[in-house]
Every structure is written in C-alpha cells, then in structure tokens.
Amino acid sequence: MSGYRFDSIDKLVNTQDGFISRELFVDSDIYKAELEKIFTRAWLMVGHESLVPNPGDFYTSRMGEESVILCRDKAGIIHVFLNSCRHRGMKVCRYESGNTSLFTCPYHSWTYTTDGRLQGVPLYKSLYDGVLDREANSLVSVAKLANYKGTIWATWDPEAPDFLTYLGDAKIHLDQALDCRDGREGGSEVIGVHKWIFPANWKFASENFLGDTYHNPSHRSVDLIGIGPSAASGKKGRRDDELAVAQHVWVSFPVGHGVHSAIQPEQNQYVESFLDNPVLEEYFRHCYEERKRRLGDGARLLPFVGTIFPNTSYHGRQPRGLCAWHPHSPTSTEAWRFFLVDKDAPQEVKDYLRHYYMRYSGPAGMTEQDDLENWLYATSASMGTVARRYPFNYQQSLGAYTSDHPLGGDVSLQVTEQIARGYYNGWAAFMRNASWDEITGGDRKGAARHAAE
Amino acid sequence: MTITSAEAPAPVETPAPLARNADYYRLKADVEDFLYMEADLLDERRFKDWLNLLAEDIVYFMPIRRNVKFGQHAERENTKLGVGISWFDEDKWTLTKRVEQILTGVHYAEEPLSRVCHMVSNVQVVGVRPDAPTGEEVEVRSRFLVYQNRVEYETYFFVGKRYDTLRRTANGFKVARREIILDQNILLAKNLTIFF
Amino acid sequence: MINMLDLKPGDRLQLREGEFAQVVANMEDGMWVEVRTLETATAEPDPSEEPQLCHAQDIVRLLTPAG
Ligand code: FES
Ligand SMILES: [Fe+2]
C-alpha cells in the first residue's frame, strides 16, 4: 500500500479520540519502518542468563527479524552478536544452543572466538596479511547490553538510555515477574522455550499482553471446563484465585510500556489457590508469608501481565513466563515463549508448574490457542482495501485514569484501553524519530509541543 | 544405553526384531486395524470415543526438536519427558480437558471445527511384552501425515513418527503410551489444537 | 583428506610449505584445531609457544597418531 507516508504518523495514531489505523497491522512500508525505527533503537529482550550458565555456552536468539547469538565468553562475560559472518554474511551459528570455543563459518571457514573476535582466517598469510584488520571484522556486537535479574536485554543504539531509565516506573511490575515467589530479588531460571510462527502482526500479541482484560470472553471455553491449579478439585476457570480480592490496576508508562497488576487489601491474606496439590498449596502459602515479611506493605502489589515496549511480555503469576514477539513480516510473527520458575523451587513445584504452563500457554496451550485464533483473523480481515479505511476503535475508558498515583504512569482502576493508547503513543514517538528524552518522558514539553502541532 | 552416533534416541529400548511368522503378521494386522480405526474417530470428530481408546495412565508426549551439533542428537535433539517444556506432556486428565474444551462450542481455535485427515503408515510391531503387569503390551512404530484445514485458507501439514505402546484389554487395544516426533523445529503452525 | 573431528591432542601433522605441527586442542568444529609448530616431524614442541589455529586445508597429512 502506498497510502501511508511517514509525515502522517499522527493520522494513523489518534489516541486523543481513540482510533488507530489498521495500516499499522498490515502495511509493509510501516513494517519496514518499524524494523528501522523501533527495533534498531529499543531495548529488546534476548534471553536469560540461565540459558548460558557456563563459559562458552551460547543460545541463538532474535532481535527484530534478525538472528543473534547470546553467548557467555570464556571469561564468563555475556555478549550478544549479530549471527552473520563479516565476510559474506553466512549465518555463523545454526545450532540453537551448546557450548563452544569457536563460531566457525560454514562458508569460507572464518572463525570467531566466544568474545566475537575474528580469530582464524584460512590462508591468512598468503591472502590477507597486512590488509585484513581482524579487530574491525569481529562479529557485530549490540551497542548496549543489560543483565536485569537474569534477563538479558540489548539495543543496537549507542545513544539509548540505560535499561533502567528505559524501563522507568514499569520496573517494579516487571520485578514481580522476575523475583522469587517469596520476595527475594531475581533468582529465576528458564527451563524451556516454545518457538512458533503465526500469521498475525506482532503488535496484536504485544498489545494483548499489556493488559487487554476486555478479551476475557474469548477464553470462555477454558473457563467453562477449568484447567487451573484447583480444577480437579472442582473450581472452574483457568487460573488461581490469588487476585480475587485485589484492586486491579492498569498502568501506562512512558516509552509505551503497559502493565496490568493488582494491589491487595491492607489486611491481605493468602488465598487458597492450589487445591489440587497440597505440596503446591503449602509452598505458595509459605512464599506468600515470606514475601509479606520481606516486602512489608510492598507485598500488596502483585503482578499479572505486562508488555515492555515494543515486544517483550510477561505473565507474572502462574503460569509464569516471558514472551518475545519477534516480527517476521507485516502479517507474521515468530513467538518465543520462555517458561520461568524460581531456580531453587522444590522439584515437585517445578514439575507441577511446568505442566500447568504447558496446558495453558503457547500454541498447544488451551488458553492461548484462542488468542492466536483472534490475532490471526483480526490481521487477515484487516488487509482489505476497504477494511483499511476503517480504523480500530480504542475508546474504552477514554480519559478514565489518573496521572497522580504512587505507582507513577497513567493509572486506571477499571478495565481500559488507556494502556494500549499509551503503547501506540510510544510507537508513534519512535516512528517519528523522537529524541530519547521525549520517548522516556523526560521531555514532556517536547511531547506536548508535538501534540499541539 | 549409550548412543554415540547422531541417531535419534528411540523412546524405548528396541528389542531384537520379532520373527516374521504368521503370529507376527496377524498381530500387525490387528494393530493396523486399531490405528486406522483410531484415525477415523479423530477425523470424524468422535473425540469422546477416541478418549475411550486411551488407557487411564496414558503418557502422551510430543517433544520439541532442536538443532544440535553432529554427535549430540541422542543426548540433546529432543526435549525429554519429565524435563522442561515440550509441545505436549499430557495425561488422561488434560487430554479429556482438551476434548471438553472443543465440545463447549466456544473454543474459537476449533470453532468452527477444523477439517483433519490422519494418514498412518509404515506400521511396524517392534516388540511384544506378554507379561507386562497390566496385560500384554505391544510396541508399535508408525509414521503420520496429518492434514489440517481451518475456516478457509488456513492449512497445515504435520509429518512425523509415532512410538506407541498399545495395551491389550478385554475391550481391545488401549494406547498406554504415545511419543509423537514431529519433524519440525520452530513450529510452523499457529496452534496445536488437534490430536496425533 | 582427514576428518578434523578425528584429530586428538598430540597428533602430529605435516603442513603445507614443509612445516610441521602438533595438535594441542581440538575444538571439534570440523575445520580448525589448535597447534604448536614443530621444527621437524619428530621434534618436541616448545611448551612456552602460544598455540595457534590451524585450518584443515593447511594440513597435508596426519603423521604419527599420539598412540
Ligand atoms: S561468509 Fe563467512 S567466511 Fe565467507
Ligand atoms: Fe488471552
């Protein structure tokens, strides 16, 4: 479609009135611009340190459309490299994971050490001596890398703010997903990854995980039959009941991050949630009390879901996990879904939770299958010439939020599309090459000036 | 069992080949009949009847296949039962839930229902354990090609191998164990809503 | 032609240009091994010498296996 021009970003994204053009979800020019303007600038989640525990361990991952190697070098330092040889671009690593001391290119055998340096060049003396600068031909490295509580994030932009600045006030929500169930910081591990490809625009998934609570009816089938941790004991629904008495909050942050969390009442008590397994019930009760003891009033904040702009999502309760929605084309997405669990949880707990995860999440998950169906047909039914003339409606709970709340950001106490509107405001800022200061909310005047223009 | 070559691990120890006598061919024919009948039930969407073919203690497992270096296939190519995350790691309860979900009529990933066709071939009986504690068990290998077509244009082919343990009961064979080896790495389908 | 995956530390190699080397480590990428150079086919390597990468196509033949 040639109907789109970059000077009209604001016509595509009208969060004031609550309309977002369908072009964002189907147009190939917009898609190409996203790869350039969003995926080469934003912080992207590449993986987890538990995937590369030992020196020489590697795990191939993705950033945007491109393959990257997450690697722990022989000295123990974690790197992320573009998975493409500096000579003719051959993919230097086609294994998913392993341990190595060299990445040897299959094409002409250039070989790179685990810190990315070009170490071996066949016939170097006779063909390259004095000409080839090895240093300058290392594997292309990301500009910045952050290990945040075990999750590995990277950006190609040397100007990008550090990861915590990028995260802003979304931090404490992501923390609830990454920290131990008993309140200790970090301590999680990834013990399995689902990877699959589906024909929908990547933003459907990212947006859904911001906290699209409104799509609950699409999961009616699984709620009717009950697959939660108390299902065999007769409870319907697909999850535990731990948020049953909490005040839910939907928060939109600068950059475009959005979360759906919950705040428990002051006199918060553990809610029985794992009736099918006494070991789990006991374990989670224990974690609950420990967490309360450690965090005090802070323990009232519980996570549900969230998306860190642009394409990293988390499910912070059970079944707990991280998602990377990798763009593959305007209308296809490669999903990577990481199962996350406390490293030192008892084996029976890990086993129970991974089974729960498998029946709930991913392409074989009874809950998420219905999400995928929706994302696919929402994409395909938006491709038509006529369909594209009619923007999506984002008017839900328009204006019903406060920017004056201890959680920071724009906080809604009711189901809302404010988090989606915030997400697309962030999207628009990236797409018009806004400064980092404006993107991260430091330059509110700049944003206001833009809005006034 | 130590395998140093790149051969994929068989889920069960392969016993010496059975003698090709009349008993073998009779058994093989019975097994084939069973597998074809099972495929019919699935393709005719008789999901509850299909559940009746599964033993109460069924293990139904589909590993994720990974790209690993030469020589590491036995060790690392397939995710393992009991460890980490796989495509399916089911018992009778979860398989029953999956059927119940389809039968709600509002499981949108299967509403409207897909058209599914199971092709089963290369059937081999590789072992018989007449004295298994729960009755005679037969180890069967086969290949599958499962075609799925949804709504209008959405079409998937799933191709791979199955390693089954069939248990003989008073009501015919029951599937006691099924390992499904799907020949894909990144799953090339948006969902796995069908049974294998 | 030798399969590099078969080389073991201690194996002696005859290289192009009449050079010799001894395998120090095989990283099993099938293309490169780490070696120390040898003065002659039967000489002992200088253990203080930093091992260097040797590519498959620089190897003429395998001399004596380490035994
Ligand atoms: S493309 Fe890698 S060595 Fe030539
Ligand atoms: Fe959902």
Side-chain angles (χ1 to χ4, degrees):
Chain A
M1 274 291 283
S2 56
Y4 155 72
R5 282 156 300 283
F6 293 136
D7 59 11
S8 63
I9 285 290
D10 296 325
K11 293 202 190 93
L12 300 171
V13 176
N14 175 0
T15 53
Q16 206 76 31
D17 304 316
F19 295 106
I20 309 281
S21 169
R22 297 186 188 216
E23 300 286 5
L24 269 74
F25 301 87
V26 295
D27 182 78
S28 56
D29 289 341
I30 292 183
Y31 174 77
K32 279 190 209 118
E34 286 177 331
L35 296 179
E36 176 77 32
K37 292 162 187 277
I38 297 174
F39 286 92
T40 67
R41 283 186 84 193
W43 280 94
L44 308 173
M45 191 192 69
V46 177
H48 193 280
E49 64 180 3
S50 59
L51 296 167
V52 288
N54 302 307
D57 283 352
F58 66 88
Y59 189 88
T60 47
S61 184
R62 296 178 73 82
M63 289 174 70
E65 269 190 348
E66 294 171 88
S67 177
V68 297
I69 305 171
L70 167 63
C71 174
R72 189 186 290 270
D73 73 19
K74 290 292 175 181
I77 298 166
I78 291 179
H79 303 267
V80 175
F81 303 116
L82 191 67
N83 188 2
S84 180
C85 183
R86 295 300 295 272
H87 181 232
R88 281 297 181 285
M90 175 68 193
K91 196 170 190 174
V92 293
C93 183
R94 274 106 35 81
Y95 306 122
E96 273 177 89
S97 66
N99 184 278
T100 194
S101 36
L102 293 174
F103 294 105
T104 298
C105 178
Y107 200 169
H108 311 90
S109 280
W110 283 20
T111 193
Y112 303 85
T113 47
T114 51
D115 56 1
R117 277 184 312 119
L118 175 59
Q119 182 85 356
V121 176
L123 307 177
Y124 178 81
K125 274 192 203 136
S126 44
L127 305 180
Y128 286 103
D129 207 10
V131 180
L132 176 67
D133 178 349
R134 288 179 198 243
E135 283 303 314
N137 285 277
S138 300
L139 288 174
V140 175
S141 173
V142 294
K144 293 187 174 188
L145 186 148
N147 180 343
Y148 187 64
K149 297 188 172 182
T151 49
I152 309 297
W153 302 72
T155 169
W156 298 111
D157 181 6
E159 308 298 321
D162 64 64
F163 179 67
L164 284 181
T165 304
Y166 183 82
L167 205 49
D169 287 333
K171 174 183 177 296
I172 58 163
H173 301 269
L174 179 62
D175 283 345
Q176 310 311 313
L178 299 181
D179 288 348
C180 284
R181 299 300 90 179
D182 63 6
R184 283 170 296 149
E185 277 199 30
S188 62
E189 65 174 343
V190 167
I191 57 170
V193 186
H194 279 140
K195 304 177 186 178
W196 77 107
I197 191 154
F198 58 87
N201 185 273
W202 63 274
K203 292 188 292 301
F204 275 107
S206 299
E207 184 199 311
N208 185 97
F209 268 82
L210 288 166
D212 174 7
T213 311
Y214 196 57
H215 84 285
N216 227 8
S218 73
H219 293 304
R220 191 166 178 81
S221 65
V222 80
D223 285 340
L224 281 168
I225 61 165
I227 63 160
S230 302
S233 307
K235 287 213 180 182
K236 296 301 180 196
R238 59 190 188 274
R239 279 193 293 269
D240 56 61
D241 292 336
E242 287 182 296
L243 303 183
V245 291
Q247 167 66 57
H248 290 239
V249 289
W250 292 262
V251 195
S252 174
F253 296 104
V255 183
H257 316 315
V259 305
H260 170 190
S261 295
I263 301 170
Q264 290 206 309
E266 229 159 304
Q267 296 306 321
N268 55 330
Q269 292 298 324
Y270 177 73
V271 180
E272 282 193 337
S273 282
F274 293 83
L275 298 179
D276 292 350
N277 184 315
V279 174
L280 270 283
E281 186 63 44
E282 180 50 38
Y283 173 75
F284 277 103
R285 183 187 297 277
H286 164 80
C287 287
Y288 185 88
E289 297 303 339
E290 275 298 295
R291 187 171 176 274
K292 202 160 134 181
R293 194 180 58 74
R294 277 203 177 87
L295 305 184
D297 201 47
R300 289 168 58 200
L301 181 70
L302 292 174
F304 184 43
V305 292
T307 292
I308 305 305
F309 190 90
N311 67 331
T312 303
S313 300
Y314 64 83
H315 196 301
R317 304 203 57 70
Q318 306 302 338
R320 182 177 168 202
L322 297 164
C323 317
W325 311 109
H326 301 297
H328 213 92
S329 83
T331 54
S332 69
T333 300
E334 185 167 323
W336 288 32
R337 216 177 178 309
F338 304 78
F339 170 60
L340 199 66
V341 67
D342 284 0
K343 194 183 283 182
D344 58 7
Q347 195 54 45
E348 179 162 355
V349 170
K350 286 186 181 181
D351 271 343
Y352 186 90
L353 295 178
R354 71 184 172 83
H355 278 109
Y356 181 27
Y357 180 92
M358 282 185 275
R359 69 178 183 257
Y360 186 106
S361 317
M366 286 183 255
T367 303
E368 293 185 352
Q369 292 177 348
D370 289 323
D371 294 319
L372 286 151
E373 186 81 0
N374 288 324
W375 304 338
L376 188 165
Y377 287 97
T379 299
S380 68
S382 294
M383 287 164 73
T385 307
V386 174
R388 292 186 195 207
R389 293 177 190 160
Y390 296 88
F392 289 151
N393 184 296
Y394 284 80
Q395 295 180 311
Q396 186 183 103
S397 301
L398 197 63
Y401 65 90
T402 170
S403 306
D404 181 24
H405 190 281
L407 283 175
D410 295 336
V411 178
S412 285
L413 301 179
Q414 67 192 50
V415 173
T416 182
E417 282 168 351
Q418 184 60 27
I419 33 181
R421 291 187 289 269
Y423 179 87
Y424 291 107
N425 283 340
W427 182 90
F430 272 94
M431 292 295 277
R432 52 167 206 270
N433 300 317
S435 71
W436 273 113
D437 207 27
E438 184 185 330
I439 286 171
T440 55
D443 181 10
R444 284 187 182 264
K445 284 200 196 107
R449 193 166 53 242
H450 173 81
E453 272 162 19
Chain B
M1 180 174 66
T2 56
I3 301 177
T4 48
S5 75
E7 285 167 29
V12 287
E13 201 87 23
T14 308
L18 298 175
R20 271 15 184 195
N21 53 25
D23 284 350
Y24 172 87
Y25 289 109
R26 174 64 203 271
L27 176 60
K28 181 167 179 276
D30 287 350
V31 163
E32 285 172 346
D33 271 0
F34 174 78
L35 295 178
Y36 299 158
M37 180 266 291
E38 185 199 2
D40 279 349
L41 292 185
L42 286 172
D43 294 349
E44 291 163 10
R45 300 157 176 160
R46 292 162 60 189
F47 299 117
K48 283 187 166 163
D49 293 338
W50 177 73
L51 283 176
N52 287 332
L53 300 183
L54 311 182
E56 291 308 307
D57 60 345
I58 185 173
V59 172
Y60 180 98
F61 177 58
M62 184 194 280
I64 295 175
R65 319 283 307 280
R66 297 178 291 208
N67 297 310
V68 299
K69 189 172 154 53
F70 183 83
Q72 299 181 351
H73 289 79
E75 196 58 39
R76 299 188 52 228
E77 183 179 20
N78 296 352
T79 54
K80 300 234 170 6
L81 186 66
V83 184
I85 297 296
S86 294
W87 291 126
F88 286 112
D89 182 347
E90 305 290 299
D91 55 19
K92 184 90 183 245
W93 185 77
T94 57
L95 289 167
T96 304
K97 286 289 168 190
R98 290 176 188 278
V99 167
E100 285 175 9
Q101 186 184 20
I102 293 171
L103 299 181
T104 61
V106 287
H107 177 25
Y108 295 110
E110 272 301 326
E111 179 57 36
L113 287 167
S114 297
R115 286 163 286 275
V116 179
C117 186
H118 286 74
M119 314 286 283
V120 181
S121 76
N122 303 44
V123 177
Q124 286 175 281
V125 175
V126 294
V128 180
R129 283 196 301 275
D131 45 3
T134 39
E136 182 181 82
E137 290 186 345
V138 185
E139 302 295 342
V140 179
R141 294 184 181 191
S142 60
R143 300 281 158 87
F144 64 81
L145 189 163
V146 181
Y147 165 88
Q148 178 189 16
N149 173 255
R150 291 211 30 71
V151 189
E152 292 158 315
Y153 315 105
E154 204 187 344
T155 300
Y156 304 101
F157 288 92
F158 301 96
V159 183
K161 296 107 186 166
R162 289 194 310 198
Y163 302 109
D164 290 340
T165 301
L166 304 184
R167 186 180 297 152
R168 228 189 251 285
T169 73
N171 301 315
F173 285 125
K174 302 276 177 195
V175 183
R177 189 180 195 287
R178 170 162 291 167
E179 178 159 351
I180 305 142
I181 307 294
L182 178 65
D183 287 328
Q184 292 183 8
N185 165 240
I186 307 277
L187 181 72
L188 301 176
K190 83 172 197 298
N191 273 339
L192 289 168
T193 53
I194 60 172
F195 300 104
F196 289 86
Chain C
M1 210 183 247
I2 51 175
N3 187 339
M4 299 290 282
L5 293 172
D6 296 335
L7 292 180
K8 298 192 176 45
D11 283 352
R12 287 163 181 269
L13 307 170
Q14 183 183 331
L15 308 183
R16 286 151 53 113
E17 323 264 336
E19 291 174 20
F20 300 96
Q22 186 173 41
V23 176
V24 177
N26 188 348
M27 296 75 66
E28 296 183 351
D29 68 346
M31 286 293 156
W32 296 89
V33 286
E34 264 185 5
V35 301
R36 285 201 180 92
T37 53
L38 302 175
E39 293 288 331
T40 67
T42 53
E44 287 306 311
D46 173 1
S48 67
E49 184 194 305
E50 192 63 19
Q52 47 182 313
L53 287 177
C54 173
H55 188 258
Q57 63 193 359
D58 288 329
I59 301 173
V60 178
R61 66 193 178 101
L62 174 64
L63 296 170
T64 47

